[in-house]
Amino acid sequence: MTRTHLATRLRDRLRDHPLAFDAALAGGVLVAMIAASFTDPHGSATGPTFGDRVPTLLGVGMMLVTAVALVFRRRRPFAVLAFTSALALVELLGETRPAPVTIGVVVALYTVASRTDRPTTWRVGLATMTALAAAAMAFGPTPWYAQENLGVFAWTGMAAAAGDAVRSRRAFVDAIRERAERAERTREEEARRRVAEERLRIARDLHDVVAHHIALVNVQAGVAAHVMDKRPDQAKEALAHVREASRSALDELRVTVGLLRQSGDPEAPTEPAPGLALLDGLLAGFRKAGLPVSLARTDAGRQLPSAVDLAAYRIVQEALTNVRKHAGPDARAEVSVVLVGRTVEITVLDDGAPQPGPAPEPSGGHGLLGMRERVTALGGVLTAAPRYGGGFRVQAILPLTPGTAREPGEDAR
């Protein structure tokens, strides 16, 4: 076991039992006071001597009471300081051979300084230093200029300074620890926010994929059931479209759900996310499902940012799915992709019959809500509203450099 480990264990043990530590400290102070009481700093011409003087019974009692008071220095620091200072003053005023009770005052003053603020420390410290030094100089057995009297002033001043330094260091360490904990909480909150955003994005992708392909499967299955008896060849073709749409749905679901895998999981997906490069295949699927769709685009195959590219593809997919579901069997659709400056405009029009009844609320269904969330997240604008004379129009303006979201204030189906 290393010396550092032993010191750490001892420090932790003392922190867990502060009263035991204070009792041990009081015992050490008592030993120091008794040893100092046998020392005469002017015992000989060559220096101090030990054993030439003996403390009085009253002096031993004062040292013992001072040590007992120090056991409670953490609980009542000001009371202990006042009590030990009073004993030191009585000793200096009445004893011909003063015992070194001032050692207890030094420990008590250090405790007060380490547990209060700086102004209080210096006020109390200055008062203690002045009172003890003045009493020693005026009433002590030695001349006022003796080194013992200057030592009283110096030791009490150093106790106040040391206690203030320890308090400042503890405050600094606590501030660093609090800042680290706050930074850790901030990192955890940011991680949770990113996870929530990623879950929302994946949920939108799942909705778009499932809604699109299930709508196609539903239409083709209805066609197959309608012509099964009279035109089996057409029914077989419709079932083939159902199989192809279901296979595409499974593939896209595998890619989307694969994003939830951990880095070490086997068979991680490597397929790229869909974008406008796959737009022709998407429209071909709708045409096979019986929805005539025309395309006009001026992007000339330009590579868009991945987030914008995916959002544009999903907007077209969801808008055409809504046309197939809501615009009626004879509806036609037009899709346009136009680059205008630093934005790309995605427009989907249909000429379906207007829906009877009151206009729907702007909150709309989950499809338009998902489109709105995609566009808003990229800092774009989405408009979705019925067309004059029938049909519906969906237009999304996406910045090529995604920016801050804006409130679009659109209508919705």
Side-chain angles (χ1 to χ4, degrees):
M1 186 176 295
T2 63
R3 187 176 303 174
T4 304
H5 184 60
L6 285 174
T8 302
R9 290 188 59 185
L10 180 60
R11 184 179 65 244
D12 295 339
R13 183 68 60 86
L14 293 177
R15 286 178 178 175
D16 295 337
H17 303 85
L19 188 61
F21 174 77
D22 290 340
L25 177 63
V29 171
L30 178 61
V31 172
M33 288 189 295
I34 292 176
S37 65
F38 284 92
T39 303
D40 186 357
H42 304 287
S44 67
T46 59
T49 59
F50 183 80
D52 290 345
R53 68 174 184 173
V54 179
T56 64
L57 185 60
L58 179 60
V60 173
M62 285 186 174
M63 288 184 286
L64 183 60
V65 172
T66 299
V68 173
L70 291 178
V71 176
F72 307 98
R73 67 187 185 95
R74 295 178 192 261
R75 298 182 180 180
R76 305 291 296 274
F78 286 98
V80 171
L81 176 61
F83 181 73
T84 54
S85 299
L87 287 179
L89 289 174
V90 170
E91 175 198 36
L92 291 172
L93 294 175
E95 280 286 306
T96 57
R97 293 182 180 179
V101 180
T102 310
I103 297 177
V105 180
V106 170
V107 176
L109 181 57
Y110 165 83
T111 304
V112 169
S114 65
R115 302 176 74 86
T116 59
D117 56 274
R118 180 165 295 171
T120 303
T121 295
W122 288 116
R123 285 196 296 268
V124 173
L126 185 60
T128 305
M129 293 160 54
T130 303
L132 294 182
M137 291 179 182
F139 303 102
T142 59
W144 69 269
Y145 54 83
Q147 62 181 3
E148 292 92 333
N149 300 333
L150 298 178
V152 171
F153 187 86
W155 278 106
T156 51
M158 285 190 294
D164 182 71
V166 169
R167 180 197 56 77
S168 299
R169 182 181 180 278
R170 288 174 180 170
F172 177 72
V173 171
D174 291 341
I176 292 178
R177 184 180 296 110
E178 181 183 0
R179 195 155 48 239
E181 292 175 354
R182 185 166 58 249
E184 183 66 23
R185 289 194 300 269
T186 303
R187 284 194 295 269
E188 292 176 356
E189 292 172 359
E190 178 67 15
R192 286 194 293 267
R193 185 185 65 81
R194 291 181 179 274
V195 168
E197 290 179 353
E198 184 65 13
R199 287 177 176 173
L200 180 60
R201 186 189 65 80
I202 293 174
R204 287 197 300 259
D205 286 344
L206 286 174
H207 171 269
D208 293 343
V209 169
V210 172
H212 163 62
H213 290 289
I214 294 301
L216 296 182
V217 168
N218 180 62
V219 171
Q220 294 296 341
V223 172
H226 182 69
V227 300
M228 179 66 72
D229 297 330
K230 298 180 180 180
R231 287 175 286 179
D233 293 339
Q234 188 174 354
K236 183 183 295 185
E237 182 180 356
L239 292 176
H241 291 323
V242 169
R243 182 175 58 189
E244 182 179 352
S246 61
R247 185 185 299 113
S248 299
L250 290 175
D251 292 340
E252 290 200 39
L253 283 174
R254 188 179 300 111
V255 172
T256 303
V257 177
L259 297 175
L260 300 175
R261 294 178 182 270
Q262 300 294 329
S263 58
D265 290 345
E267 298 180 2
T270 57
E271 296 86 348
L276 293 180
L278 305 178
L279 188 57
D280 292 336
L282 177 67
L283 301 186
F286 279 102
R287 295 187 185 106
K288 291 179 181 178
L291 175 64
V293 183
S294 60
L295 173 64
R297 58 190 304 178
T298 63
D299 56 332
R302 176 176 172 179
Q303 185 68 30
L304 303 179
S306 58
V308 177
D309 200 24
L310 174 61
Y313 179 88
R314 293 302 188 195
I315 289 169
V316 173
Q317 183 184 55
E318 181 61 33
L320 291 179
T321 301
N322 285 343
V323 172
R324 194 68 187 88
K325 291 164 60 176
H326 303 295
D330 300 326
R332 301 176 61 88
E334 299 177 5
V335 178
S336 65
V337 181
V338 181
L339 287 176
V340 180
R342 299 180 62 82
T343 63
V344 57
E345 296 184 4
I346 310 297
T347 306
V348 179
L349 307 174
D350 69 77
D351 59 357
Q355 299 295 323
E361 294 296 327
S363 58
H366 294 292
L368 285 177
L369 179 61
M371 285 191 285
R372 181 178 296 110
E373 290 175 349
R374 287 183 183 276
V375 174
T376 302
L378 296 174
V381 177
L382 176 73
T383 57
R387 298 172 62 192
Y388 179 77
F392 205 80
R393 177 176 178 270
V394 175
Q395 183 182 49
I397 302 177
L398 303 175
L400 296 182
T401 302
T404 306
R406 300 191 297 268
E407 290 295 335
E410 323 70 86
D411 295 325
R413 175 170 297 183

